[in-house]
Amino acid sequence: MRVAVQIFGHLRTFERCAPTLKEHLLDRYPGHDVFLHTWDRLESETVTHHERFCMPSPVDEQTIAAILTHYHPKRMAIEPQAPRELGELVFANGERISISGIRYMFTTMQRANKLRERYSSETGTKYDVVVMVRPDIALHRPLDLDAFMAYSRPPRLPTDETTRTRYA
């Protein structure tokens, strides 16, 4: 199975999480290609729904070296993020999250996807599965893509490239 892994978002705790991603996903699919988009700060500078685990320090050469060591990305982009004040969402439990933070989350997802699309277009590489994951997510057990594809149903959309898409 040819797998593209699109890693997106702030790197905040990626060095603690990368070994689990390698063990439980990347090593299981030796034909994988990694595409990574992140921002030039380890942590967001907007209001978040989670407790900060690091400061919004710059992504430095040491961090870039660690990314290359852990993921060996086919394509990678690190871009500046200039948070804009768009207000906040406030949840019933009192948690808050910045609307611009949500916007930037979708932007980084899209940019990781564009890295893969350009690579695929340039090289003719086709993927059976595209996995999108944040770098600060730890996998505690193997991610079995065959099992996931077997029990999930594709969305009811017209026939196009999304026909086999599954979301979780």
mmCIF file with all atom_site columns, all heavy atoms in Angstrom, residues 4 26 31 38 42 45 57 75 82 98-99 106 114-115 119 125 129 147 154 164-165:
data_model
loop_
_atom_site.group_PDB
_atom_site.id
_atom_site.type_symbol
_atom_site.label_atom_id
_atom_site.label_alt_id
_atom_site.label_comp_id
_atom_site.label_asym_id
_atom_site.label_entity_id
_atom_site.label_seq_id
_atom_site.pdbx_PDB_ins_code
_atom_site.Cartn_x
_atom_site.Cartn_y
_atom_site.Cartn_z
_atom_site.occupancy
_atom_site.B_iso_or_equiv
_atom_site.pdbx_formal_charge
_atom_site.auth_seq_id
_atom_site.auth_comp_id
_atom_site.auth_asym_id
_atom_site.auth_atom_id
_atom_site.pdbx_PDB_model_num
ATOM 1   N N   . ALA A 1 4   ? 0.769   8.265  1.771  1.00 0.00 ? 4   ALA A N   1
ATOM 2   C CA  . ALA A 1 4   ? 1.273   9.620  1.973  1.00 0.00 ? 4   ALA A CA  1
ATOM 3   C C   . ALA A 1 4   ? 0.856   10.047 3.374  1.00 0.00 ? 4   ALA A C   1
ATOM 4   O O   . ALA A 1 4   ? -0.308  9.901  3.746  1.00 0.00 ? 4   ALA A O   1
ATOM 5   C CB  . ALA A 1 4   ? 0.700   10.577 0.937  1.00 0.00 ? 4   ALA A CB  1
ATOM 6   N N   . LEU A 1 26  ? 4.646   5.030  10.441 1.00 0.00 ? 26  LEU A N   1
ATOM 7   C CA  . LEU A 1 26  ? 5.635   5.082  9.367  1.00 0.00 ? 26  LEU A CA  1
ATOM 8   C C   . LEU A 1 26  ? 6.335   3.750  9.135  1.00 0.00 ? 26  LEU A C   1
ATOM 9   O O   . LEU A 1 26  ? 6.477   3.309  7.989  1.00 0.00 ? 26  LEU A O   1
ATOM 10  C CB  . LEU A 1 26  ? 6.656   6.188  9.639  1.00 0.00 ? 26  LEU A CB  1
ATOM 11  C CG  . LEU A 1 26  ? 6.091   7.602  9.824  1.00 0.00 ? 26  LEU A CG  1
ATOM 12  C CD1 . LEU A 1 26  ? 7.206   8.592  10.105 1.00 0.00 ? 26  LEU A CD1 1
ATOM 13  C CD2 . LEU A 1 26  ? 5.269   8.023  8.621  1.00 0.00 ? 26  LEU A CD2 1
ATOM 14  N N   . GLY A 1 31  ? 6.600   1.986  2.241  1.00 0.00 ? 31  GLY A N   1
ATOM 15  C CA  . GLY A 1 31  ? 6.504   2.788  1.022  1.00 0.00 ? 31  GLY A CA  1
ATOM 16  C C   . GLY A 1 31  ? 5.901   4.156  1.249  1.00 0.00 ? 31  GLY A C   1
ATOM 17  O O   . GLY A 1 31  ? 5.433   4.780  0.307  1.00 0.00 ? 31  GLY A O   1
ATOM 18  N N   . THR A 1 38  ? 4.540   23.369 8.574  1.00 0.00 ? 38  THR A N   1
ATOM 19  C CA  . THR A 1 38  ? 4.451   23.889 9.932  1.00 0.00 ? 38  THR A CA  1
ATOM 20  C C   . THR A 1 38  ? 4.709   25.388 9.905  1.00 0.00 ? 38  THR A C   1
ATOM 21  O O   . THR A 1 38  ? 5.051   25.965 8.879  1.00 0.00 ? 38  THR A O   1
ATOM 22  C CB  . THR A 1 38  ? 5.433   23.164 10.885 1.00 0.00 ? 38  THR A CB  1
ATOM 23  O OG1 . THR A 1 38  ? 5.143   23.558 12.237 1.00 0.00 ? 38  THR A OG1 1
ATOM 24  C CG2 . THR A 1 38  ? 6.878   23.485 10.551 1.00 0.00 ? 38  THR A CG2 1
ATOM 25  N N   . LEU A 1 42  ? 7.216   27.100 17.510 1.00 0.00 ? 42  LEU A N   1
ATOM 26  C CA  . LEU A 1 42  ? 6.840   25.788 18.022 1.00 0.00 ? 42  LEU A CA  1
ATOM 27  C C   . LEU A 1 42  ? 5.402   25.751 18.529 1.00 0.00 ? 42  LEU A C   1
ATOM 28  O O   . LEU A 1 42  ? 4.748   24.720 18.464 1.00 0.00 ? 42  LEU A O   1
ATOM 29  C CB  . LEU A 1 42  ? 7.777   25.358 19.157 1.00 0.00 ? 42  LEU A CB  1
ATOM 30  C CG  . LEU A 1 42  ? 9.223   25.075 18.762 1.00 0.00 ? 42  LEU A CG  1
ATOM 31  C CD1 . LEU A 1 42  ? 10.045  24.741 19.997 1.00 0.00 ? 42  LEU A CD1 1
ATOM 32  C CD2 . LEU A 1 42  ? 9.301   23.957 17.739 1.00 0.00 ? 42  LEU A CD2 1
ATOM 33  N N   . GLU A 1 45  ? 0.585   31.510 18.956 1.00 0.00 ? 45  GLU A N   1
ATOM 34  C CA  . GLU A 1 45  ? 0.588   32.719 19.776 1.00 0.00 ? 45  GLU A CA  1
ATOM 35  C C   . GLU A 1 45  ? -0.831  33.228 20.001 1.00 0.00 ? 45  GLU A C   1
ATOM 36  O O   . GLU A 1 45  ? -1.023  34.326 20.481 1.00 0.00 ? 45  GLU A O   1
ATOM 37  C CB  . GLU A 1 45  ? 1.452   33.787 19.097 1.00 0.00 ? 45  GLU A CB  1
ATOM 38  C CG  . GLU A 1 45  ? 2.898   33.342 18.990 1.00 0.00 ? 45  GLU A CG  1
ATOM 39  C CD  . GLU A 1 45  ? 3.794   34.372 18.342 1.00 0.00 ? 45  GLU A CD  1
ATOM 40  O OE1 . GLU A 1 45  ? 4.089   35.381 18.997 1.00 0.00 ? 45  GLU A OE1 1
ATOM 41  O OE2 . GLU A 1 45  ? 4.186   34.155 17.179 1.00 0.00 ? 45  GLU A OE2 1
ATOM 42  N N   . SER A 1 57  ? 8.522   29.612 20.780 1.00 0.00 ? 57  SER A N   1
ATOM 43  C CA  . SER A 1 57  ? 9.922   29.797 20.376 1.00 0.00 ? 57  SER A CA  1
ATOM 44  C C   . SER A 1 57  ? 10.066  29.550 18.886 1.00 0.00 ? 57  SER A C   1
ATOM 45  O O   . SER A 1 57  ? 9.304   28.786 18.301 1.00 0.00 ? 57  SER A O   1
ATOM 46  C CB  . SER A 1 57  ? 10.815  28.806 21.126 1.00 0.00 ? 57  SER A CB  1
ATOM 47  O OG  . SER A 1 57  ? 10.574  28.876 22.504 1.00 0.00 ? 57  SER A OG  1
ATOM 48  N N   . ARG A 1 75  ? 8.773   16.540 0.996  1.00 0.00 ? 75  ARG A N   1
ATOM 49  C CA  . ARG A 1 75  ? 8.636   17.992 0.873  1.00 0.00 ? 75  ARG A CA  1
ATOM 50  C C   . ARG A 1 75  ? 8.294   18.545 2.247  1.00 0.00 ? 75  ARG A C   1
ATOM 51  O O   . ARG A 1 75  ? 7.564   17.926 3.019  1.00 0.00 ? 75  ARG A O   1
ATOM 52  C CB  . ARG A 1 75  ? 7.534   18.375 -0.116 1.00 0.00 ? 75  ARG A CB  1
ATOM 53  C CG  . ARG A 1 75  ? 7.783   17.906 -1.529 1.00 0.00 ? 75  ARG A CG  1
ATOM 54  C CD  . ARG A 1 75  ? 8.803   18.796 -2.226 1.00 0.00 ? 75  ARG A CD  1
ATOM 55  N NE  . ARG A 1 75  ? 9.429   18.202 -3.375 1.00 0.00 ? 75  ARG A NE  1
ATOM 56  C CZ  . ARG A 1 75  ? 8.920   18.117 -4.583 1.00 0.00 ? 75  ARG A CZ  1
ATOM 57  N NH1 . ARG A 1 75  ? 7.725   18.562 -4.822 1.00 0.00 ? 75  ARG A NH1 1
ATOM 58  N NH2 . ARG A 1 75  ? 9.609   17.566 -5.564 1.00 0.00 ? 75  ARG A NH2 1
ATOM 59  N N   . ALA A 1 82  ? 1.379   35.055 11.067 1.00 0.00 ? 82  ALA A N   1
ATOM 60  C CA  . ALA A 1 82  ? 1.072   36.346 11.676 1.00 0.00 ? 82  ALA A CA  1
ATOM 61  C C   . ALA A 1 82  ? -0.375  36.311 12.163 1.00 0.00 ? 82  ALA A C   1
ATOM 62  O O   . ALA A 1 82  ? -1.295  36.574 11.392 1.00 0.00 ? 82  ALA A O   1
ATOM 63  C CB  . ALA A 1 82  ? 1.275   37.469 10.659 1.00 0.00 ? 82  ALA A CB  1
ATOM 64  N N   . SER A 1 98  ? -9.080  30.636 19.758 1.00 0.00 ? 98  SER A N   1
ATOM 65  C CA  . SER A 1 98  ? -9.014  31.740 18.815 1.00 0.00 ? 98  SER A CA  1
ATOM 66  C C   . SER A 1 98  ? -9.569  31.324 17.459 1.00 0.00 ? 98  SER A C   1
ATOM 67  O O   . SER A 1 98  ? -9.222  30.260 16.938 1.00 0.00 ? 98  SER A O   1
ATOM 68  C CB  . SER A 1 98  ? -7.554  32.172 18.664 1.00 0.00 ? 98  SER A CB  1
ATOM 69  O OG  . SER A 1 98  ? -7.376  32.981 17.534 1.00 0.00 ? 98  SER A OG  1
ATOM 70  N N   . ILE A 1 99  ? -10.403 32.153 16.882 1.00 0.00 ? 99  ILE A N   1
ATOM 71  C CA  . ILE A 1 99  ? -10.924 31.875 15.542 1.00 0.00 ? 99  ILE A CA  1
ATOM 72  C C   . ILE A 1 99  ? -9.780  31.903 14.531 1.00 0.00 ? 99  ILE A C   1
ATOM 73  O O   . ILE A 1 99  ? -9.739  31.074 13.619 1.00 0.00 ? 99  ILE A O   1
ATOM 74  C CB  . ILE A 1 99  ? -12.046 32.865 15.173 1.00 0.00 ? 99  ILE A CB  1
ATOM 75  C CG1 . ILE A 1 99  ? -13.265 32.616 16.084 1.00 0.00 ? 99  ILE A CG1 1
ATOM 76  C CG2 . ILE A 1 99  ? -12.425 32.745 13.699 1.00 0.00 ? 99  ILE A CG2 1
ATOM 77  C CD1 . ILE A 1 99  ? -14.352 33.656 15.978 1.00 0.00 ? 99  ILE A CD1 1
ATOM 78  N N   . PHE A 1 106 ? -6.629  25.050 9.467  1.00 0.00 ? 106 PHE A N   1
ATOM 79  C CA  . PHE A 1 106 ? -7.063  24.598 8.149  1.00 0.00 ? 106 PHE A CA  1
ATOM 80  C C   . PHE A 1 106 ? -6.080  25.031 7.065  1.00 0.00 ? 106 PHE A C   1
ATOM 81  O O   . PHE A 1 106 ? -5.873  24.320 6.084  1.00 0.00 ? 106 PHE A O   1
ATOM 82  C CB  . PHE A 1 106 ? -8.479  25.076 7.846  1.00 0.00 ? 106 PHE A CB  1
ATOM 83  C CG  . PHE A 1 106 ? -9.514  24.296 8.604  1.00 0.00 ? 106 PHE A CG  1
ATOM 84  C CD1 . PHE A 1 106 ? -10.237 24.884 9.632  1.00 0.00 ? 106 PHE A CD1 1
ATOM 85  C CD2 . PHE A 1 106 ? -9.753  22.959 8.301  1.00 0.00 ? 106 PHE A CD2 1
ATOM 86  C CE1 . PHE A 1 106 ? -11.177 24.156 10.340 1.00 0.00 ? 106 PHE A CE1 1
ATOM 87  C CE2 . PHE A 1 106 ? -10.690 22.223 9.006  1.00 0.00 ? 106 PHE A CE2 1
ATOM 88  C CZ  . PHE A 1 106 ? -11.401 22.819 10.029 1.00 0.00 ? 106 PHE A CZ  1
ATOM 89  N N   . LYS A 1 114 ? -1.090  20.533 -0.435 1.00 0.00 ? 114 LYS A N   1
ATOM 90  C CA  . LYS A 1 114 ? -0.522  21.095 -1.670 1.00 0.00 ? 114 LYS A CA  1
ATOM 91  C C   . LYS A 1 114 ? 0.898   20.575 -1.912 1.00 0.00 ? 114 LYS A C   1
ATOM 92  O O   . LYS A 1 114 ? 1.285   20.344 -3.064 1.00 0.00 ? 114 LYS A O   1
ATOM 93  C CB  . LYS A 1 114 ? -0.513  22.625 -1.628 1.00 0.00 ? 114 LYS A CB  1
ATOM 94  C CG  . LYS A 1 114 ? -1.889  23.243 -1.650 1.00 0.00 ? 114 LYS A CG  1
ATOM 95  C CD  . LYS A 1 114 ? -2.486  23.153 -3.023 1.00 0.00 ? 114 LYS A CD  1
ATOM 96  C CE  . LYS A 1 114 ? -3.826  23.872 -3.041 1.00 0.00 ? 114 LYS A CE  1
ATOM 97  N NZ  . LYS A 1 114 ? -4.625  23.496 -4.190 1.00 0.00 ? 114 LYS A NZ  1
ATOM 98  N N   . LEU A 1 115 ? 1.679   20.396 -0.846 1.00 0.00 ? 115 LEU A N   1
ATOM 99  C CA  . LEU A 1 115 ? 3.024   19.832 -1.001 1.00 0.00 ? 115 LEU A CA  1
ATOM 100 C C   . LEU A 1 115 ? 2.936   18.447 -1.636 1.00 0.00 ? 115 LEU A C   1
ATOM 101 O O   . LEU A 1 115 ? 3.693   18.115 -2.552 1.00 0.00 ? 115 LEU A O   1
ATOM 102 C CB  . LEU A 1 115 ? 3.734   19.748 0.352  1.00 0.00 ? 115 LEU A CB  1
ATOM 103 C CG  . LEU A 1 115 ? 4.138   21.062 1.012  1.00 0.00 ? 115 LEU A CG  1
ATOM 104 C CD1 . LEU A 1 115 ? 4.625   20.803 2.435  1.00 0.00 ? 115 LEU A CD1 1
ATOM 105 C CD2 . LEU A 1 115 ? 5.196   21.779 0.198  1.00 0.00 ? 115 LEU A CD2 1
ATOM 106 N N   . TYR A 1 119 ? 4.174   17.318 -5.463 1.00 0.00 ? 119 TYR A N   1
ATOM 107 C CA  . TYR A 1 119 ? 5.113   16.209 -5.579 1.00 0.00 ? 119 TYR A CA  1
ATOM 108 C C   . TYR A 1 119 ? 4.526   15.110 -6.476 1.00 0.00 ? 119 TYR A C   1
ATOM 109 O O   . TYR A 1 119 ? 5.214   14.593 -7.362 1.00 0.00 ? 119 TYR A O   1
ATOM 110 C CB  . TYR A 1 119 ? 5.436   15.648 -4.192 1.00 0.00 ? 119 TYR A CB  1
ATOM 111 C CG  . TYR A 1 119 ? 6.349   14.464 -4.224 1.00 0.00 ? 119 TYR A CG  1
ATOM 112 C CD1 . TYR A 1 119 ? 7.730   14.631 -4.334 1.00 0.00 ? 119 TYR A CD1 1
ATOM 113 C CD2 . TYR A 1 119 ? 5.849   13.167 -4.145 1.00 0.00 ? 119 TYR A CD2 1
ATOM 114 C CE1 . TYR A 1 119 ? 8.580   13.539 -4.368 1.00 0.00 ? 119 TYR A CE1 1
ATOM 115 C CE2 . TYR A 1 119 ? 6.692   12.076 -4.178 1.00 0.00 ? 119 TYR A CE2 1
ATOM 116 C CZ  . TYR A 1 119 ? 8.049   12.262 -4.296 1.00 0.00 ? 119 TYR A CZ  1
ATOM 117 O OH  . TYR A 1 119 ? 8.889   11.172 -4.328 1.00 0.00 ? 119 TYR A OH  1
ATOM 118 N N   . THR A 1 125 ? 3.782   10.081 -8.824 1.00 0.00 ? 125 THR A N   1
ATOM 119 C CA  . THR A 1 125 ? 3.505   9.188  -7.700 1.00 0.00 ? 125 THR A CA  1
ATOM 120 C C   . THR A 1 125 ? 2.022   9.247  -7.346 1.00 0.00 ? 125 THR A C   1
ATOM 121 O O   . THR A 1 125 ? 1.448   10.329 -7.226 1.00 0.00 ? 125 THR A O   1
ATOM 122 C CB  . THR A 1 125 ? 4.344   9.590  -6.469 1.00 0.00 ? 125 THR A CB  1
ATOM 123 O OG1 . THR A 1 125 ? 5.716   9.618  -6.850 1.00 0.00 ? 125 THR A OG1 1
ATOM 124 C CG2 . THR A 1 125 ? 4.140   8.625  -5.321 1.00 0.00 ? 125 THR A CG2 1
ATOM 125 N N   . VAL A 1 129 ? -3.507  5.732  0.031  1.00 0.00 ? 129 VAL A N   1
ATOM 126 C CA  . VAL A 1 129 ? -4.051  6.316  1.252  1.00 0.00 ? 129 VAL A CA  1
ATOM 127 C C   . VAL A 1 129 ? -3.264  7.581  1.586  1.00 0.00 ? 129 VAL A C   1
ATOM 128 O O   . VAL A 1 129 ? -2.049  7.602  1.450  1.00 0.00 ? 129 VAL A O   1
ATOM 129 C CB  . VAL A 1 129 ? -3.932  5.326  2.441  1.00 0.00 ? 129 VAL A CB  1
ATOM 130 C CG1 . VAL A 1 129 ? -4.419  5.955  3.734  1.00 0.00 ? 129 VAL A CG1 1
ATOM 131 C CG2 . VAL A 1 129 ? -4.684  4.042  2.161  1.00 0.00 ? 129 VAL A CG2 1
ATOM 132 N N   . ALA A 1 147 ? -7.539  -2.138 8.188  1.00 0.00 ? 147 ALA A N   1
ATOM 133 C CA  . ALA A 1 147 ? -8.725  -2.317 9.038  1.00 0.00 ? 147 ALA A CA  1
ATOM 134 C C   . ALA A 1 147 ? -9.593  -1.063 8.995  1.00 0.00 ? 147 ALA A C   1
ATOM 135 O O   . ALA A 1 147 ? -10.825 -1.157 8.893  1.00 0.00 ? 147 ALA A O   1
ATOM 136 C CB  . ALA A 1 147 ? -8.314  -2.631 10.476 1.00 0.00 ? 147 ALA A CB  1
ATOM 137 N N   . PRO A 1 154 ? -17.048 5.248  2.701  1.00 0.00 ? 154 PRO A N   1
ATOM 138 C CA  . PRO A 1 154 ? -16.740 6.514  2.018  1.00 0.00 ? 154 PRO A CA  1
ATOM 139 C C   . PRO A 1 154 ? -17.953 7.444  2.073  1.00 0.00 ? 154 PRO A C   1
ATOM 140 O O   . PRO A 1 154 ? -19.083 6.989  2.239  1.00 0.00 ? 154 PRO A O   1
ATOM 141 C CB  . PRO A 1 154 ? -16.429 6.088  0.589  1.00 0.00 ? 154 PRO A CB  1
ATOM 142 C CG  . PRO A 1 154 ? -17.100 4.773  0.417  1.00 0.00 ? 154 PRO A CG  1
ATOM 143 C CD  . PRO A 1 154 ? -17.145 4.130  1.783  1.00 0.00 ? 154 PRO A CD  1
ATOM 144 N N   . ARG A 1 164 ? -13.099 7.407  -2.466 1.00 0.00 ? 164 ARG A N   1
ATOM 145 C CA  . ARG A 1 164 ? -12.590 6.480  -1.446 1.00 0.00 ? 164 ARG A CA  1
ATOM 146 C C   . ARG A 1 164 ? -12.156 7.175  -0.172 1.00 0.00 ? 164 ARG A C   1
ATOM 147 O O   . ARG A 1 164 ? -11.481 6.602  0.671  1.00 0.00 ? 164 ARG A O   1
ATOM 148 C CB  . ARG A 1 164 ? -11.433 5.691  -2.043 1.00 0.00 ? 164 ARG A CB  1
ATOM 149 C CG  . ARG A 1 164 ? -11.867 4.829  -3.231 1.00 0.00 ? 164 ARG A CG  1
ATOM 150 C CD  . ARG A 1 164 ? -10.829 3.860  -3.642 1.00 0.00 ? 164 ARG A CD  1
ATOM 151 N NE  . ARG A 1 164 ? -10.480 3.061  -2.471 1.00 0.00 ? 164 ARG A NE  1
ATOM 152 C CZ  . ARG A 1 164 ? -9.323  2.458  -2.309 1.00 0.00 ? 164 ARG A CZ  1
ATOM 153 N NH1 . ARG A 1 164 ? -8.404  2.533  -3.212 1.00 0.00 ? 164 ARG A NH1 1
ATOM 154 N NH2 . ARG A 1 164 ? -9.069  1.755  -1.230 1.00 0.00 ? 164 ARG A NH2 1
ATOM 155 N N   . THR A 1 165 ? -12.535 8.421  0.026  1.00 0.00 ? 165 THR A N   1
ATOM 156 C CA  . THR A 1 165 ? -12.120 9.193  1.199  1.00 0.00 ? 165 THR A CA  1
ATOM 157 C C   . THR A 1 165 ? -12.832 8.704  2.446  1.00 0.00 ? 165 THR A C   1
ATOM 158 O O   . THR A 1 165 ? -14.025 8.422  2.430  1.00 0.00 ? 165 THR A O   1
ATOM 159 C CB  . THR A 1 165 ? -12.439 10.689 0.972  1.00 0.00 ? 165 THR A CB  1
ATOM 160 O OG1 . THR A 1 165 ? -11.753 11.123 -0.190 1.00 0.00 ? 165 THR A OG1 1
ATOM 161 C CG2 . THR A 1 165 ? -12.011 11.527 2.167  1.00 0.00 ? 165 THR A CG2 1
#
